[in-house]
Amino acid sequence: MIPEIYLSSPHLGDLELQYVQEAFAANWVAPVGPHIDAFERELCIETGAAHAAALSSGTSALHLSLVLLGVSPGDEVICQSFTFAASANPIVYQGATPVFIDSEADTWNMCPDALEMALKDRLARGKRPKAVIVVNLYGMPAKLDALLKICHQYEVPLVEDAAESFGSTYNDKPCGSFGKLAVLSFNGNKIITTSGGGALLSEDEALIKRARFLATQARDPAPYYQHSSIGYNYRISNVCAGIGRGQLRILADRVAQRRANYAYYFEHLIKLPGFAFQPEPDPCFSNRWLTCITVDPDLSGGITCEAIRLALAEKRIEARPLWKPMHQQPVFAGLPYYGSGVSNRLFKTGLCLPSGSNLTREQITKVVSCVEETVEVAYLADGKN
Ligand SMILES: *Cc1c(COP(=O)(O)O)cnc(C)c1O
């Protein structure tokens, strides 16, 4: 199916092309160039982070964060289970073992109690995890104060996977500025895009300098090619950074547009029996990257999220189940997991609705009507009207 209404598609502004043209005119097409430096400075202004390295993807930023923290074969790294696989895969790139943590119901992100239980248990087994990867899922900040306090107490660095939460804040502090290192993604489906890209952010200048060095093949300062470390080809291109600079200028608009989508869905769908939305507890402010609902079939007259997804697909409207937790993925079978089933339940009952900032009023009305009709038809069939 080629959707007529996408889950989340790129949405360019007026300045991106101008920046790209500048890059072409100066032949700064590759590899580095002035847009990269400017993009990094502007990312720092936007997030309040002291230092930023612009990279080829969010995944490469996560990978470098683990390299910088010294994650090596045989180590353990704690990771939120309810997330996209790219949060966890880099742990395995380093030959380390992921230890998965369940979510809490308030923000759908890493449960502080489960994290503490896991840390105690891993330490009792003689293993100190090398890092904790916390995700702000669908744009919603995790309980960062509580998580940071635990990480501090157990002396394990926190990596903030803010790939989905650029433009969100926690306690008025921007996502991407928490923890030892933070990661952004500018993939095509994210709130802003560089066509493909990411960034690594930190207060620690030495870490970010080292990230830039490793991301450009780890060339020692010598006239010939000499290497004392294993490097990567993880830098962003000057053309992509130019797109990013244009997108940064309209980030606040994109957040407002996505939050307006959420508000519209909430207004129309919350009255349907069994329907609920991802909560936004104090002091979280979410960019509402994706609007996510859950449907409790015991209250909805038997209608499931999957039935709604299929009904939408029939109208060429793209919706997706919530992330399947990592501890349930075949590729991660048998790895340690600490939790009580919150993410399992969310996966079983949840759905992401079309949430692009370029969604028209006509399109969102169509999505809402389709969901309402599906519920009504189920009710009629059930004889409950
Ligand atoms: C998109 C995403 C990533 C990976 O970012 P890419 O730029 O696509 O490599 C990592 N973590 C989460 C939670 C994501 O949603």
Side-chain angles (χ1 to χ4, degrees):
M1 172 195 68
I2 297 176
E4 182 191 312
I5 302 178
Y6 285 93
L7 188 71
S8 178
S9 67
H11 186 187
L12 295 175
D14 300 329
L15 285 168
E16 290 82 345
L17 197 55
Q18 183 188 317
Y19 286 122
V20 169
Q21 271 163 352
E22 271 176 45
F24 273 59
N27 200 29
W28 281 116
V29 176
V32 290
H35 281 327
I36 297 181
D37 298 335
F39 187 44
E40 289 177 344
R41 279 196 305 275
E42 290 160 5
L43 285 172
C44 289
I45 293 167
E46 195 63 48
T47 57
H51 305 281
L55 302 171
S56 55
S57 67
T59 309
S60 61
L62 276 159
H63 186 197
L64 282 185
S65 76
L66 300 185
V67 173
L68 291 166
L69 294 174
V71 174
S72 322
D75 285 339
E76 290 185 349
V77 173
I78 288 180
C79 185
Q80 184 164 322
S81 183
F82 192 41
T83 186
F84 177 49
S87 303
N89 285 338
I91 301 169
V92 180
Y93 301 166
Q94 285 307 98
T97 303
V99 173
F100 292 116
I101 309 288
D102 198 10
S103 293
E104 34 78 9
D106 299 338
T107 73
W108 297 6
N109 292 302
M110 188 182 284
C111 173
D113 295 338
L115 171 63
E116 184 150 29
M117 199 196 312
L119 281 166
K120 277 194 183 133
D121 190 46
R122 296 334 282 178
L123 287 172
R125 291 162 189 258
K127 282 261 181 197
R128 177 180 297 278
K130 276 289 182 70
V132 174
I133 301 172
V134 171
V135 189
N136 306 316
L137 218 57
Y138 305 117
M140 189 64 61
K143 293 186 173 173
L144 288 159
D145 275 350
L147 295 167
L148 278 165
K149 196 169 155 218
I150 294 165
C151 286
H152 188 75
Q153 189 189 333
Y154 288 86
E155 295 175 35
V156 182
L158 186 148
V159 175
E160 184 197 9
D161 181 349
E164 301 177 1
S165 58
F166 197 20
S168 304
T169 65
Y170 184 81
N171 260 329
D172 294 326
K173 194 174 181 283
C175 288
S177 69
F178 291 88
K180 184 84 183 156
L181 290 150
V183 168
L184 297 175
S185 166
F186 313 117
N187 190 35
N189 62 348
K190 298 292 167 23
I191 191 151
I192 64 165
T193 184
T194 58
S195 79
L200 189 61
L201 307 147
S202 180
E203 291 306 297
D204 187 332
E205 183 174 15
L207 285 181
I208 297 302
K209 280 193 164 155
R210 179 88 184 151
R212 292 195 195 103
F213 170 77
L214 294 173
T216 47
Q217 308 286 19
R219 294 196 298 261
D220 291 344
Y224 37 83
Y225 279 71
Q226 175 179 293
H227 306 275
S228 311
S229 311
I230 294 296
Y232 305 87
N233 183 5
Y234 277 175
R235 203 72 162 120
I236 200 169
S237 84
N238 193 55
V239 174
C240 292
I243 300 173
R245 294 187 69 196
Q247 288 268 281
L248 262 184
R249 300 276 283 267
I250 46 172
L251 174 62
D253 295 341
R254 298 303 184 245
V255 172
Q257 285 152 338
R258 295 215 182 221
R259 285 185 65 88
N261 289 339
Y262 166 81
Y264 187 89
Y265 282 128
F266 187 88
E267 186 194 337
H268 291 87
L269 299 181
I270 194 65
K271 39 185 183 270
L272 299 178
F275 276 58
F277 286 74
Q278 183 178 27
E280 188 180 38
D282 268 353
C284 295
F285 173 87
S286 172
N287 65 11
R288 292 289 183 185
W289 172 55
L290 296 184
T291 291
C292 303
I293 58 168
T294 55
V295 178
D296 180 346
D298 291 340
L299 301 173
S300 68
I303 192 88
T304 60
C305 267
E306 182 57 9
I308 294 170
R309 190 186 70 79
L310 291 170
L312 289 167
E314 220 159 88
K315 300 225 154 96
R316 291 176 54 210
I317 299 169
E318 185 183 31
R320 292 241 182 96
L322 300 185
W323 300 124
K324 179 172 185 175
M326 292 305 115
H327 72 275
Q328 295 225 54
Q329 297 289 351
V331 73
F332 295 128
L335 293 180
Y337 161 72
Y338 296 82
S340 56
V342 173
S343 57
N344 288 350
R345 183 176 51 73
L346 288 168
F347 170 59
K348 264 201 241 153
T349 59
L351 193 69
C352 308
L353 297 174
S355 302
S357 48
N358 47 8
L359 209 61
T360 63
R361 179 45 71 100
E362 202 181 11
Q363 288 176 320
I364 198 168
T365 310
K366 187 172 167 181
V367 178
V368 164
S369 307
C370 181
V371 174
E372 286 171 339
E373 279 162 27
T374 310
V375 173
E376 272 162 31
V377 168
Y379 254 68
L380 288 175
D382 213 30
K384 288 197 177 163
N385 223 21

